[in-house]
Amino acid sequence: MKLTVACSWLMLAQGAAGACALVATTLAPVAAHAQSSSIVAVVNGDVISEGDVENRAKLFALSAGVANTPEMLARLRPQVTRQLIDERLRLQEIQRRHVNVTDKEIAAAIHEVETRNNMPADALRRKLESDGVSFRTLVDQVRVQLGWLRVIRDQLGDAATITPAEVAEQQRILAAQTGKPQYRVSEIFIPADTPAHAPDAEKFAETVIKQLRSGAPFAVVAAQFSQSQTALEGGDLGWVEPNELDPGVARLVEQMPPGAISNPVRVPGGYDIVTLRGKREIGHDIGTMLTMRQVFLPFTTALDPQHPTEQQRSTLERAKALSAATHGCDAMEAAAKAVGSTRPVDPGPVRLETINPAAFRTLLTNLPDGKASQPLVSGDGIAVMMVCSRAEKNLAQESTEDIQRRLLGERAELVSRQLLRDLQRKAEIERRDGAATPKT
């Protein structure tokens, strides 16, 4: 299973009350559920067990679609343990500040994961547990990340508000730089804040890179293991200029082709893994934006193209009939409701030039607006697509909201790293797996 995680999968979602049943019987503070196995570390009196480490490593392997083998789990173990130690420090700070993350909020965030991955309610719990991963592992991770967001917001205080004057200054700077290069970059930050931590961090970075280059989704890996605030956005830094990046990262980005995955880059506090998602000139980025509708008819079993089942044959006939009879986007929405489509009928704005694979991009380029596509068969079902509208837009013009989001993200990242370093310095951490635990 590869979970395709969009930028806001761990942010508070709305309207997910019906998903509360997902976790209503399993939620409890993470510190209270050390499994009955050997102790790996003790953090200010809270235990991290062998079971905790194994479950988090399995969650990563499953999410990234890599083999869940003893060798893979052994490679992940040192960094997973360190991540869990830092996570426990965050949780303790969340509890110290009496920040309450409700069951409903956690359920909404997990429901968001399922929705964005075209999964029905409760499918994620069933999938994880069928693969030997405790559902609590995901619940615990979501709890801490949501709570930490609030801690950072509180820590920022008045600095969490981006003033109109600050936005205007950024707009002035961008206008003066029209024509200069900008890069769309995503990152995975792996901390190594002492020399003793560096070998494990670098080894882990190399393991991550190998999986990314084998096809593991960057956003999923970032959400699981990046220790930057951008993890909540799938590692996305947005559009940045070279002077906004670490000099070593900037030199790489200027030379990388889009889609490439970097080697580990030593940066202050750890290692960065970056991917280049796009290049443009400030003020100039003309793209074609599509609005679309889709109907998805799932298979009950995975497709074997040489031996389709009767259900798969009948699904194809239904899709052909739907394609021939449906005209206009209102009719597509009605058809999706009528057949119980398991994917969102409106996938949101889509930029034509970024659609992959190329054959799908060509299909949408040539598909007349308001006309249903021929059935598009995949391993798990059949989709029928329709383009509702297309418009040429200059996408290089940062909106006020974009500027506010970028500035707030930069401030939050600085505060988050500083606060975690303070917690590490004050903590009593005992490692029982043979690893050193120097003060940072």
Side-chain angles (χ1 to χ4, degrees):
M1 178 184 72
K2 292 186 179 181
L3 298 180
T4 304
V5 180
C7 63
S8 60
W9 77 280
L10 287 176
M11 303 302 287
L12 290 178
Q14 299 296 323
C20 290
L22 278 171
V23 292
T25 62
T26 62
L27 301 185
V30 61
H33 94 95
Q35 301 183 12
S36 57
S37 58
S38 60
I39 295 174
V40 174
V42 181
V43 183
N44 294 328
D46 285 346
V47 167
I48 296 172
S49 73
E50 180 70 36
D52 295 325
V53 175
E54 182 177 344
N55 267 298
R56 182 60 63 84
K58 284 181 178 179
L59 178 61
F60 167 76
L62 181 62
S63 299
V66 301
N68 185 359
T69 63
E71 294 76 17
M72 173 59 69
L73 297 181
R75 287 199 296 270
L76 295 174
R77 179 187 174 91
Q79 193 64 26
V80 168
T81 303
R82 177 164 172 75
Q83 180 180 354
L84 288 173
I85 289 171
D86 288 347
E87 191 172 286
R88 197 58 52 90
L89 291 171
R90 291 187 179 101
L91 176 66
Q92 291 167 353
E93 183 66 9
I94 291 166
Q95 294 171 332
R96 188 186 72 80
R97 296 188 185 215
H98 304 291
V99 173
N100 179 38
V101 180
T102 68
D103 292 1
K104 182 176 180 179
E105 291 163 346
I106 297 173
I110 292 174
H111 180 69
E112 179 80 358
V113 178
E114 293 177 321
T115 299
R116 292 185 181 278
N117 287 280
N118 305 308
M119 301 171 74
D122 208 32
L124 185 53
R125 179 208 292 272
R126 294 195 303 269
K127 178 60 180 173
L128 292 177
E129 293 182 346
S130 70
D131 285 282
V133 181
S134 170
F135 187 66
R136 292 192 61 90
T137 303
L138 179 61
V139 169
D140 292 344
Q141 186 178 32
V142 171
R143 180 190 298 280
V144 173
Q145 295 206 15
L146 292 178
W148 189 249
L149 281 174
R150 294 185 188 166
V151 168
I152 297 307
R153 191 180 302 132
D154 291 344
Q155 192 78 1
L156 281 167
D158 292 342
T161 301
I162 309 299
T163 67
E166 290 169 322
V167 172
E169 175 63 12
Q170 289 295 309
Q171 291 171 331
R172 184 193 66 77
I173 291 171
L174 287 171
Q177 295 178 333
T178 297
K180 293 183 178 180
Q182 265 189 330
Y183 303 92
R184 186 69 181 269
V185 178
S186 291
E187 67 166 357
I188 296 171
F189 175 70
I190 299 168
D193 27 31
T194 72
H197 293 147
D200 281 345
E202 186 172 15
K203 181 179 178 182
F204 176 73
E206 290 167 354
T207 298
V208 167
I209 289 166
K210 181 179 179 181
Q211 302 311 319
L212 291 169
R213 289 175 176 168
S214 297
F218 197 98
V220 173
V221 178
Q224 282 292 321
F225 277 102
S226 180
Q227 293 299 287
S228 161
Q229 287 298 104
T230 60
L232 302 176
E233 308 266 339
D236 185 17
L237 290 170
W239 287 100
V240 294
E241 299 160 55
N243 62 8
E244 297 178 273
L245 299 168
D246 176 86
V249 173
R251 285 191 295 271
L252 271 178
V253 164
E254 289 170 335
Q255 300 170 20
M256 290 170 67
I261 306 293
S262 76
N263 290 325
V265 184
R266 195 68 163 99
V267 296
Y271 291 90
D272 252 352
I273 302 166
V274 297
T275 185
L276 179 63
R277 298 170 57 194
K279 299 180 180 181
R280 72 183 185 186
E281 293 181 350
I282 296 175
H284 302 292
D285 184 20
I286 306 301
T288 302
M289 298 301 298
L290 308 180
T291 60
M292 301 173 61
R293 299 293 183 268
Q294 65 177 341
V295 176
F296 184 77
L297 305 174
F299 295 146
T300 55
T301 59
L303 175 66
D304 177 353
Q306 303 306 316
H307 303 93
T309 66
E310 184 59 36
Q311 188 268 342
Q312 291 163 349
R313 291 192 186 95
S314 65
T315 299
L316 178 58
E317 293 307 313
R318 290 174 63 203
K320 287 179 178 178
L322 187 150
S323 175
T326 308
H327 307 284
C329 287
D330 288 345
M332 278 288 281
E333 291 186 6
K337 184 176 181 180
V339 302
S341 177
T342 59
R343 294 184 180 175
V345 64
D346 181 359
V350 177
R351 183 174 181 176
L352 180 62
E353 294 82 4
T354 63
I355 294 174
N356 284 307
F360 186 37
R361 183 166 63 250
T362 300
L363 180 151
L364 294 177
T365 299
N366 298 325
L367 185 67
D369 293 2
K371 178 177 174 59
S373 72
Q374 292 299 309
L376 306 173
V377 181
S378 63
D380 58 347
I382 301 176
V384 177
M385 310 294 299
M386 182 180 288
V387 176
C388 302
S389 67
R390 62 191 79 211
E392 299 291 319
K393 292 186 177 181
N394 184 356
L395 302 173
Q397 295 175 337
E398 250 190 322
S399 67
T400 296
E401 293 75 18
D402 291 336
I403 293 172
Q404 290 172 331
R405 190 180 304 114
R406 174 168 56 83
L407 292 178
L408 183 57
E410 291 169 359
R411 293 176 188 180
E413 182 61 36
L414 288 173
V415 168
S416 177
R417 292 193 189 186
Q418 181 59 58
L419 180 56
L420 182 58
R421 282 196 295 269
D422 291 344
L423 296 176
Q424 290 166 340
R425 279 194 292 268
K426 298 173 183 176
E428 293 294 331
I429 301 172
E430 178 188 356
R431 291 282 290 266
R432 298 189 182 180
D433 57 354
T437 56
K439 291 290 184 179
T440 59

